Amino acid sequence: KYQEPENIPPLTEVKIKRLKFIREMDDKSDSDGLECLDFKGDPAVLYLADGSIPLQGYSFGADHSISGEVVFNTGMVGYPEALTDPSYRGQILVLTYPLVGNYGVPDESILDDLGLPAYFESSSIHISALVVSSYSWEHSHWAAQKTLSKWLKASNVPAIYGVDTRELTKNLREHGSILGRLVINPDLSEQVTPAMFDDPNQRNLVKEVSTSSVVVYGKGNSPKIIAYDCGMKYNIIRYFVQTHNVELHVVPFDYDLEKNPENIQWQGLFISNGPGDPTMCPQTVKSIQYALAMENPRPIFGICLGNQLLAMASGAKTFKLKYGNRGMNQPCIDLRTGRCYITPQNHGFAVDSDTLSEGWKPLFMNANDLTNEGIVHTNKPFFSVQFHPEACGGPLDTAFLFKKFIGHVENIPQPLVLQDGRAYTRKTYKKVLLVGSGGLSIGQAGEFDYSGSQCIKALKEEGIEVILINPNIATVQTSQEAKEANRGADRVYFLPIRPSVVMDIIRKENPDGIIVSMGGQTALNVGVELWKTGQLQAAGVEVLGTQIPVIEATEDREIFSAKLKEIDETIALSYSATNVQEALESANKIGYPVLVRAAFALGGLGSGFAANDTEMEALAAKAFASSDQILIDQDLRGWKELEYEVVRDSSDNCITVCNMENFDPLGIHTGDSIVVAPSQTLTNREYFMLRRTALKVVRHLGIVGECNIQYALNPESEKYCIIEVNARLSRSSALASKATGFPLAYVATKLSLGKDLVSIRNSVTKTTTACFEPSLDYCVLKMPRWDLRKFQHVSNELGSSMLSVGEVMAIGRTFEEVIQKACRMVNPALAGLDGEDSNLIEDNVDLEAQMKTATDTRLFAVQTALEKGWTVDAVHEATKIDRWFLTKLKNIAQMRHAVKKCGNLQDLTRTNGIERMRSLKLAGFSDKQIARYLGLPNDLSSECRVRDKRKSLGIIPCVKQIDTLAAEFPAQTNYLYMTYAGQEDDLDFSSERAAITPSYRSSVNKFSDSLDSQSEFQRRARRYGSAPKTIQEAKERGVMVLGCGAYCIGSSVEFDWCAVSCVRQLRKDGFKSIIINYNPETVSTDYDESDQLFFEELSLERVLDIYERQAPYGVVVSVGGQIPNNLSGPLAECGATILGTSATDIERAEDRRQFSDMLDNLGLKQPAWSVLTSKDEAHSFAEKVGFPVLVRPSFVLSGAAMRVAADETQLRNFLDLAADVAADKPVVVTKFIVNAKEIEFDAVAYNGQILNYAIGEHLENAGVHSGDATVILPAQKLYVNTIRQVKKSASAIAKSLR
């Protein structure tokens, strides 16, 4: 953040030096081997006429400067279509989605049946220049013929990347469209003057893009339509001629219709889209007025600019919008029916509805800004719309308007379109039974606590009494607090989720409705059985949301296949079987290999791939153990796997909330695959082809609420097939909710009550409708977490049956950034995505074999291969992972190699240091990672040394918001992430930064590259902020709460309950609450649970980044499990205030040696123990006290590597395992007492004084981990003296630890 020197307009002094420096570097011929850390392209600057600081970046287009009107587009795909859209004539286009160029540019020479370029909307690029955040120099797509950069250069169109496009979009949002000038290799002495900027709106842009002569398409067809070309997109021509068999006469914008010099015999008039101000087209308006005045009126239809021209011809007025509507997700309400459609738009002017003449009415209205989106004559066949029914790019939801127009032309009576009246007949409910998911299991985890909690919240908002059945005590949804009656269920039944039990509750409670779609497969199966047996109908209980017959249609493969055939869609070749013989026959019909799956099964239970009859028999027997029907599917491994989350209401409004692409090819359960949102390698055609199919399938099935549809897409064509539809909330639903900010479970609940999407508000913006499709200006990556190493003799191969126990979600603005973030999130022991340095690759197994077999470590095998010099093509051949993803991993490998080659921090930053350090951070490298590559010691001081150097260079991450609409509308929630791909924070932290001690802030620039002594480091580690002077100041500064991270064995939903309980209490007490977590399955990552949610890493670096921004009162580390607990020491050492038990005392409890010493000092009994420095010493100790002995590592979760050794061989093996897990922490060996009773004492203490406690008794003898033991509470078989001793010991420990 640099201040603008008054005497050096328009660039800051620092930026001027930087530009000069880069130019000098470009002229140098020698190389230091670090070129991969330098940004490609010439320096470029985007000047804005509003006087704001020029935006600096790098060129990837033509080498010349140009002016234009700066506008933005929020579409996530379709850049070839957008760039060739004539409506963008004269405009500098800002694409809000940060990753551009991924799928290259198709061949311009490929023509369709009409002789038009098949993949483009005109014959040339019409934008003046392109502005993006991150450009992908490598592309991957079967249809690509060249890179976007080559296309732009060949078309003489300049382009800039490296710009904070989100900040620029916010500027345009607040101040309206701004004139700009993009300068490549700028003259630094140039002054910003009005003469620099040309206003394209002063030109007749329509004249520039309109045809100069009449062109006829579809000659001989009928009817005959005149189309005024004001900048008409080619897809309009395709729709008229190819879809509706029209003879289309395309005429210039100034063609005199009254004189009709070409003597065209026409039956209908069409007015196209186009650029600029409609007042520039008086000739077109005059011809339209002639058509309107004809005695026998002929049908007229206008699109976009055509809507404005028709309105002007009828006597209405237009006005310039603040910044226009430019994107693919604008919700428009049909004022005849109330239905809402998702539409693509590109316009800067709108019709003023208040000026419409008599006989004219608004036809469509924008559901967000309420502007006019169409007009219609009340008794003549004239109508127009502001959006693009033909799309391209974008959805084709309103393409029916072409059919309506042609119907008018052919005198076909149009059906009467009316509202369905559902809003007036919606049933009301007083009491609803919600069926939970029960105990957590693989495939059914914390995501259903999140969806259930959202469901309860939505029901309570409607004043409905909520009854919950869920025996899982560790969930947020089963918590009841009298003061939070508006958030929790009214009554909770901790009972088994079985049909008979559910019916008992129904008979007792008499609910009006039941929801079975929020509790996973467990709840769904119960609902299906109760419906099939007629018990729900007999009790008068209505199933809310998607109905049971629809659910059965999606779960039963034969019914599902038949349903899809009714709408000409197909699934992969598939048969069902009810016995092994039928299964064998089906497999042979399809041909091996085949996929075997159990019907009505959770997480792909009982599924796998069979290559022959023998494997088929074994798999079928396994699948029949969990289901009475199995499914045999065609093997499509190697195809891309994609998902769409779809929402539909009872009024047939239907939207796709999120699309996701699997990093791994088809063949791995999506719960075990790395998933990226939005898709990275789909073109506009593919994206909307699959979206169109999703809406068609969901409508045909009759789903109400949320569902998930999965596809297989051929990587070499547009051929696809449907894998399955999940007519319920799933783990993907939780991911999609957190990835987009769209609360799927909450909205689905509202829809199940009969509400429509239009009436529900977007809970992020608070002002726009929920009937919209989110636009992302960031990239999200989900990575699964496995704990397969906890089990012996268990294969780590991944397939169609889910094995992961949790997942993480990383958010960023480059792919490299999010995948490195995700690696650190999944495994805190990792500093980033490393291959050879990860210690996860087996040296004795062939590397190619490790890549070919999908396992929980294959990603690291792939990275190892790229680090060793394997080509992207070779790795692709072995894995079938898309080349685009592999090129990004190759970038990481090359940058790692460059830093390692550099050798020290001083050499890394000596030349072009700012850019190189920023390049590393943009690619997701952590300070710890960089320190290790440079050969620095693996300790806190080395990480801090890199951190200090980075900050001295002015490289700090930005805080960005997730707002669902890519900054098009202001966000009202603080749902945040951090990234280096930006220049400005979305929030103002100036008041928080003022609380940071000046001596710390100013000392950053003074540190040398070396730390001479520990005392110097200690002097640096002073507190970031002074203690608050008043309780009110403490409340305003707030408290940071560290969440649980990924679910794993030993750390699950119970820690989410802890964090949520903590945050809710803080807010009750008036404290600003800030939570950091990255688990998409949790309630704590619901953005309205806290005042600020940082969806970020729980690493020391990132927690300190946030701490510096916020300067909070302190940090709570005790409610998130082992990960936050392990951070307490480093955080305290770096100057953070730890609330609750001090970091020193936490270490005394976690460190086995210190803890045992403390017990000895307190005189408390404990088994004989010793800290061993060698295996021989351990054996001597075991011989002395006698086997069995207990091996106990420090700072580990859920007893990781804790083992009871019965002999010397076991002891040596267990010590090796403990040493790996505990790293540099002490490993203690103690005498194991056989046949002992195990007792648990849970307490709350303040300043060492116990305030409350509970004592639990294990049913099993000591030796079974408490997480695996059966615990009875209160204790049943403890003597009074035993209880007294336990309380006495606990009091002494609490007092010692304080």
Side-chain angles (χ1 to χ4, degrees):
K1 309 300 185 295
Y2 302 108
Q3 295 299 314
E4 178 97 72
E6 293 182 4
N7 58 338
I8 310 182
L11 293 171
T12 70
E13 186 174 355
V14 175
K15 288 180 179 175
I16 289 174
K17 288 179 179 177
R18 188 168 150 202
L19 283 176
K20 286 181 177 176
F21 189 66
I22 294 170
R23 296 179 106 183
E24 289 166 4
M25 281 297 297
D26 289 342
D27 294 336
K28 289 177 69 172
S29 58
D30 59 323
S31 168
D32 58 3
L34 300 180
E35 293 80 11
C36 66
L37 304 182
D38 296 327
F39 290 99
K40 296 181 182 179
D42 291 332
V45 172
L46 177 63
Y47 295 94
L48 298 175
D50 68 345
S52 55
I53 294 177
L55 302 172
Q56 186 176 340
Y58 303 89
S59 168
F60 68 100
D63 185 13
H64 76 93
S65 302
I66 198 165
S67 295
E69 181 184 34
V70 184
V71 299
F72 63 84
N73 182 316
T74 61
M76 297 181 289
V77 291
Y79 55 81
E81 291 84 355
L83 269 58
T84 54
D85 181 351
S87 297
Y88 279 120
R89 184 75 170 188
Q91 293 177 330
I92 297 175
L93 180 60
V94 181
L95 297 180
T96 62
Y97 185 67
L99 304 176
V100 179
N102 304 10
Y103 51 84
V105 177
D107 191 342
E108 298 164 275
S109 66
I110 297 177
L111 306 180
D112 60 19
D113 295 340
L114 300 174
L116 304 174
Y119 298 105
F120 304 93
E121 288 307 294
S122 67
S123 58
S124 63
I125 296 178
H126 285 282
I127 64 168
S128 293
L130 183 63
V131 181
V132 303
S133 173
S134 176
Y135 174 64
S136 182
W137 294 94
E138 303 86 8
H139 66 273
S140 173
H141 195 271
W142 60 270
Q145 191 253 350
K146 64 182 75 166
T147 66
L148 174 58
S149 177
K150 286 183 179 178
W151 186 41
L152 290 167
K153 289 177 180 177
S155 303
N156 201 31
V157 176
I160 181 175
Y161 77 96
V163 171
D164 188 344
T165 50
R166 179 172 174 83
E167 187 63 25
L168 176 55
T169 302
K170 287 167 60 184
N171 188 15
L172 296 173
R173 177 188 80 198
E174 296 303 319
H175 301 105
S177 299
I178 301 171
L179 296 181
R181 181 172 181 82
L182 179 59
V183 179
I184 311 300
N185 288 314
D187 179 357
L188 302 177
S189 62
E190 184 178 17
Q191 300 292 313
V192 179
T193 64
M196 288 178 61
F197 306 99
D198 296 325
D199 186 355
N201 294 302
Q202 301 301 313
R203 311 194 319 251
N204 190 336
L205 298 174
V206 170
K207 183 177 182 180
E208 294 178 19
V209 298
S210 178
T211 181
S212 57
S213 59
V214 176
V215 183
V216 180
Y217 296 94
K219 193 167 183 63
N221 291 346
S222 179
K224 294 180 174 63
I225 304 292
I226 283 182
Y228 270 88
D229 179 12
C230 302
M232 185 161 53
K233 293 166 66 178
Y234 283 162
N235 214 40
I236 294 175
I237 300 172
R238 297 185 191 106
Y239 247 94
F240 273 123
V241 180
Q242 295 180 334
T243 305
H244 294 287
N245 298 312
V246 162
E247 181 176 295
L248 193 69
H249 294 254
V250 178
V251 301
F253 81 102
D254 56 357
Y255 185 83
D256 191 326
L257 187 62
E258 184 176 6
K259 293 181 179 178
N260 195 5
E262 297 290 327
N263 196 27
I264 302 170
Q265 302 301 309
W266 59 281
Q267 295 156 273
L269 179 65
F270 173 76
I271 312 134
S272 83
N273 64 292
D277 188 340
T279 59
M280 292 285 190
C281 305
Q283 306 96 321
T284 317
V285 172
K286 180 183 175 184
S287 290
I288 298 171
Q289 288 173 331
Y290 165 76
L292 291 174
M294 293 178 71
E295 185 174 343
N296 295 313
R298 302 178 196 180
I300 302 175
F301 176 34
I303 286 177
C304 194
L305 180 66
N307 179 60
Q308 300 155 24
L309 295 174
L310 179 60
M312 290 174 62
S314 69
K317 295 180 180 178
T318 62
F319 64 97
K320 187 164 177 38
L321 291 164
K322 189 172 184 179
Y323 48 82
N325 291 325
R326 307 179 194 278
M328 302 176 183
N329 64 339
Q330 291 290 331
C332 292
I333 301 171
D334 186 336
L335 296 176
R336 301 169 301 170
T337 65
R339 282 275 301 278
C340 190
Y341 298 94
I342 305 301
T343 66
Q345 300 192 19
N346 178 17
H347 63 95
F349 290 80
V351 174
D352 185 348
S353 296
D354 293 338
T355 64
L356 288 175
S357 305
E358 184 179 352
W360 290 88
K361 295 289 183 183
L363 178 59
F364 286 87
M365 178 179 71
N366 190 293
N368 284 337
D369 62 18
L370 306 183
T371 55
N372 178 272
E373 292 284 358
I375 60 175
V376 63
H377 199 280
T378 54
N379 52 31
K380 294 180 180 179
F382 310 147
F383 72 101
S384 59
V385 292
Q386 190 59 62
F387 47 83
H388 284 267
E390 88 293 345
C392 206
L396 296 164
D397 297 8
T398 54
F400 62 85
L401 292 172
F402 283 97
K403 184 178 180 181
K404 173 181 170 61
F405 172 56
I406 301 303
H408 282 309
V409 173
E410 296 181 334
N411 292 315
I412 299 173
Q414 297 299 295
L416 187 63
V417 181
L418 298 171
Q419 289 192 1
D420 57 20
R422 291 176 189 267
Y424 305 100
T425 59
R426 184 163 68 89
K427 183 177 176 180
T428 57
Y429 302 89
K430 294 182 179 179
K431 186 188 289 188
V432 169
L433 173 62
L434 172 63
V435 184
S437 60
L440 270 58
S441 61
I442 291 178
Q444 190 165 275
E447 66 271 16
F448 295 110
D449 185 31
Y450 165 70
S451 60
S453 297
Q454 287 268 306
C455 176
I456 292 169
K457 173 184 167 185
L459 292 171
K460 297 296 286 184
E461 282 182 1
E462 299 296 321
I464 296 171
E465 187 178 351
V466 181
I467 313 301
L468 171 68
I469 174 173
N470 193 351
N472 192 335
I473 57 171
T475 57
V476 174
Q477 65 181 252
T478 54
S479 296
Q480 284 183 296
E481 298 230 8
K483 294 181 181 178
E484 294 187 343
N486 63 322
R487 303 183 74 154
D490 294 278
R491 279 180 296 290
V492 179
Y493 287 87
F494 289 92
L495 293 171
I497 300 175
R498 294 180 178 175
S500 59
V501 177
V502 172
M503 282 310 303
D504 287 342
I505 296 172
I506 287 174
R507 282 187 280 268
K508 183 177 187 302
E509 295 286 352
N510 295 313
D512 304 311
I514 184 173
I515 294 178
V516 298
S517 58
M518 304 283 176
Q521 199 71 41
T522 301
L524 207 62
N525 288 348
V526 166
V528 169
E529 185 170 337
L530 290 177
W531 178 267
K532 276 185 171 181
T533 56
Q535 295 179 73
L536 288 179
Q537 298 92 315
V541 178
E542 185 179 338
V543 176
L544 302 185
T546 301
Q547 297 301 294
I548 298 298
V550 176
I551 293 170
E552 285 187 292
T554 61
E555 297 278 344
D556 186 298
R557 205 64 175 171
E558 286 187 350
I559 300 174
F560 184 56
S561 181
K563 283 279 186 184
L564 291 184
K565 285 180 181 176
E566 293 171 4
I567 53 173
D568 297 323
E569 294 293 340
T570 59
I571 58 175
L573 196 57
S574 176
Y575 296 97
S576 63
T578 55
N579 57 58
V580 174
Q581 186 56 41
E582 285 183 10
L584 286 169
E585 291 172 3
S586 299
N588 282 284
K589 278 184 190 176
I590 296 171
Y592 289 109
V594 294
L595 169 63
V596 181
R597 300 189 297 147
F600 295 93
L602 171 70
L605 185 66
S607 66
F609 291 93
N612 50 53
D613 282 355
T614 304
E615 292 183 9
M616 183 70 223
E617 286 186 38
L619 263 177
K622 178 182 173 185
F624 280 125
S626 57
S627 176
D628 57 4
Q629 184 192 58
I630 68 169
L631 313 168
I632 299 92
D633 297 334
Q634 177 185 358
D635 180 11
L636 298 173
R637 283 179 291 185
W639 285 34
K640 294 182 183 183
E641 185 169 354
L642 299 123
E643 298 180 60
Y644 282 71
E645 296 293 325
V646 187
V647 175
R648 176 178 175 269
D649 64 21
S650 55
S651 297
D652 205 30
N653 295 307
C654 201
I655 59 173
T656 58
V657 171
C658 184
N659 100 308
M660 295 173 274
E661 178 178 6
N662 285 16
F663 174 88
D664 302 288
L666 192 71
I668 301 172
H669 191 283
T670 191
D672 283 339
S673 182
I674 296 170
V675 176
V676 188
S679 58
Q680 300 298 308
T681 66
L682 294 192
T683 63
N684 177 81
R685 285 165 62 110
E686 292 166 333
Y687 182 101
F688 287 101
M689 170 184 72
L690 298 180
R691 178 191 176 276
R692 183 170 63 249
T693 300
L695 268 55
K696 182 167 68 168
V697 170
V698 167
R699 284 186 166 127
H700 183 66
L701 291 172
I703 290 169
V704 174
E706 192 272 349
C707 72
N708 164 280
I709 183 167
Q710 297 173 17
Y711 296 98
L713 176 68
N714 191 319
E716 301 299 330
S717 70
E718 293 180 353
K719 184 178 180 182
Y720 70 92
C721 62
I722 297 166
I723 301 172
E724 65 180 3
V725 171
N726 291 308
R728 58 170 172 82
L729 273 292
S730 64
R731 182 171 289 187
S732 294
S733 308
L735 173 66
S737 294
K738 303 300 172 66
T740 61
F742 191 105
L744 281 166
Y746 171 86
V747 171
T749 302
K750 297 278 189 177
L751 300 183
S752 72
L753 299 174
K755 299 192 79 170
D756 63 73
L757 278 164
V758 182
S759 64
I760 302 170
R761 292 291 89 189
N762 177 341
S763 55
V764 171
T765 64
K766 308 291 187 187
T767 57
T768 57
T769 178
C771 191
F772 77 105
E773 297 188 353
S775 287
L776 279 60
D777 57 3
Y778 51 86
C779 175
V780 164
L781 184 138
K782 179 270 285 185
M783 187 176 287
R785 159 83 189 222
W786 298 271
D787 271 347
L788 300 175
R789 298 191 179 205
K790 284 245 180 185
F791 307 101
Q792 296 179 352
H793 313 300
V794 171
S795 170
N796 68 339
E797 288 189 21
L798 306 178
S800 58
S801 183
M802 185 171 162
L803 299 178
S804 65
V805 294
E807 63 189 32
V808 305
M809 187 181 93
I811 309 173
R813 288 170 67 84
T814 70
F815 183 80
E816 294 93 333
E817 178 183 24
V818 293
I819 198 165
Q820 295 230 66
K821 267 190 180 182
C823 288
R824 292 189 287 270
M825 292 171 171
V826 162
N827 186 349
L830 296 174
L833 176 54
D834 288 306
E836 294 177 287
D837 296 337
S838 68
N839 298 320
L840 295 173
I841 303 304
E842 299 178 45
D843 295 331
N844 58 343
V845 180
D846 179 63
L847 186 58
E848 185 172 0
Q850 293 186 67
M851 285 195 292
K852 283 187 173 180
T853 305
T855 66
D856 58 343
T857 59
R858 176 164 76 167
L859 173 64
F860 303 97
V862 167
Q863 194 64 20
T864 300
L866 294 170
E867 288 171 2
K868 288 178 176 290
W870 283 52
T871 65
V872 165
D873 286 339
V875 176
H876 169 74
E877 191 60 34
T879 63
K880 301 304 179 187
I881 296 170
D882 192 280
R883 289 179 179 84
W884 187 83
F885 295 122
L886 295 177
T887 60
K888 299 303 177 184
L889 302 191
K890 184 74 172 179
N891 290 345
I892 294 173
Q894 289 174 337
M895 295 173 87
R896 167 187 176 271
H897 177 72
V899 178
K900 283 199 164 194
K901 181 181 177 183
C902 187
N904 63 75
L905 187 57
Q906 189 173 358
D907 287 347
L908 176 65
T909 56
R910 177 183 291 116
T911 302
N912 208 13
I914 293 175
E915 299 306 322
R916 288 177 174 178
M917 183 63 79
R918 182 166 179 262
S919 178
L920 286 168
K921 301 308 287 185
L922 279 169
F925 288 92
S926 65
D927 293 340
K928 186 176 182 179
Q929 208 173 357
I930 295 169
R932 195 181 67 227
Y933 292 166
L934 294 173
L936 298 175
N938 186 23
D939 56 23
L940 180 59
S941 63
S942 297
E943 180 178 353
C944 289
R945 181 176 163 188
V946 174
R947 179 182 182 83
D948 294 337
K949 183 64 177 179
R950 168 174 60 78
K951 290 175 66 179
S952 73
L953 295 171
I955 299 170
I956 56 174
C958 292
V959 175
K960 297 294 184 184
Q961 287 177 307
I962 290 175
D963 61 8
T964 73
L965 289 168
E968 185 175 0
F969 290 90
Q972 301 298 315
T973 55
N974 290 325
Y975 182 13
L976 312 168
Y977 69 99
M978 299 189 90
T979 179
Y980 285 89
Q983 282 83 44
E984 297 290 337
D985 293 331
D986 279 352
L987 301 183
D988 182 8
F989 291 102
S990 55
S991 59
E992 285 87 349
R993 288 197 189 106
I996 298 176
T997 315
S999 56
Y1000 180 86
R1001 291 165 56 198
S1002 60
S1003 64
V1004 169
N1005 294 314
K1006 299 176 183 176
F1007 303 143
S1008 64
D1009 283 332
S1010 63
L1011 296 173
D1012 299 326
S1013 66
Q1014 185 66 17
S1015 60
E1016 181 181 353
F1017 173 70
Q1018 293 294 343
R1019 286 198 300 273
R1020 285 174 38 209
R1022 57 189 71 187
R1023 295 200 177 280
Y1024 285 95
S1026 57
K1029 296 180 178 62
T1030 64
I1031 189 67
Q1032 185 58 36
E1033 184 187 344
K1035 289 180 177 181
E1036 290 172 359
R1037 284 169 60 174
V1039 173
M1040 277 174 55
V1041 178
L1042 305 189
C1044 60
Y1047 288 159
C1048 57
I1049 295 177
S1051 177
S1052 190
V1053 71
E1054 67 275 6
F1055 288 115
D1056 189 46
W1057 173 85
C1058 293
V1060 170
S1061 300
C1062 175
V1063 167
R1064 287 181 178 178
Q1065 188 60 47
L1066 284 168
R1067 298 183 86 179
K1068 274 189 206 172
D1069 292 338
F1071 282 84
K1072 173 184 172 184
S1073 61
I1074 306 145
I1075 195 158
I1076 307 174
N1077 201 0
Y1078 49 75
N1079 186 336
E1081 304 175 60
T1082 59
V1083 178
S1084 62
T1085 51
D1086 187 0
Y1087 49 79
D1088 58 4
E1089 281 292 340
S1090 56
D1091 294 297
Q1092 289 185 347
L1093 164 65
F1094 280 88
F1095 218 105
E1096 270 299 339
E1097 304 171 53
L1098 287 165
S1099 63
L1100 176 64
E1101 177 182 340
R1102 190 42 40 93
V1103 173
L1104 285 178
D1105 288 336
I1106 298 169
Y1107 196 97
E1108 288 177 12
R1109 285 293 205 291
Q1110 299 284 356
Y1113 169 42
V1115 185
V1116 176
V1117 300
S1118 57
V1119 294
Q1122 198 67 45
I1123 294 173
N1125 228 29
N1126 290 353
L1127 282 174
S1128 60
L1131 283 172
E1133 195 173 347
C1134 288
T1137 301
I1138 305 299
L1139 299 180
T1141 306
S1142 71
T1144 304
D1145 284 332
I1146 290 173
E1147 184 173 356
R1148 290 173 65 209
E1150 292 279 356
D1151 186 300
R1152 300 295 187 188
R1153 178 172 190 163
Q1154 292 187 49
F1155 183 70
S1156 295
D1157 278 336
M1158 182 184 71
L1159 295 185
D1160 284 345
N1161 293 335
L1162 293 172
L1164 299 179
K1165 293 181 181 180
Q1166 63 176 316
W1169 67 279
S1170 180
V1171 177
L1172 291 316
T1173 57
S1174 70
K1175 292 180 184 178
D1176 290 335
E1177 282 187 29
H1179 180 254
S1180 298
F1181 172 78
E1183 289 289 337
K1184 179 181 175 182
V1185 300
F1187 284 101
V1189 293
L1190 182 63
V1191 178
R1192 307 172 69 200
S1194 301
F1195 291 90
V1196 295
L1197 174 69
S1198 69
M1202 190 182 292
R1203 297 285 193 276
V1204 177
D1207 54 40
E1208 181 183 354
T1209 303
Q1210 286 187 349
L1211 178 59
R1212 291 180 180 274
N1213 291 337
F1214 295 160
L1215 283 171
D1216 286 338
L1217 179 62
D1220 288 341
V1221 171
D1224 59 340
K1225 304 299 182 184
V1227 176
V1228 169
V1229 178
T1230 66
K1231 170 64 180 171
F1232 179 72
I1233 303 173
V1234 181
N1235 296 326
K1237 182 181 286 290
E1238 187 159 344
I1239 303 163
E1240 287 195 54
F1241 183 94
D1242 289 86
V1244 175
Y1246 178 64
N1247 284 339
Q1249 189 71 33
I1250 290 179
L1251 305 179
N1252 206 347
Y1253 68 91
I1255 298 178
E1257 177 185 8
H1258 286 207
L1259 188 63
E1260 299 85 359
N1261 286 338
V1264 178
H1265 191 281
S1266 58
D1268 290 334
T1270 307
V1271 181
I1272 304 165
L1273 193 120
Q1276 300 294 305
K1277 291 188 176 182
L1278 296 184
Y1279 295 119
V1280 174
N1281 189 49
T1282 304
I1283 294 174
R1284 190 177 293 121
Q1285 281 184 298
V1286 168
K1287 290 166 66 176
K1288 184 178 178 182
S1289 298
S1291 296
I1293 293 170
K1295 197 168 190 178
S1296 179
L1297 293 174
R1298 297 191 65 78

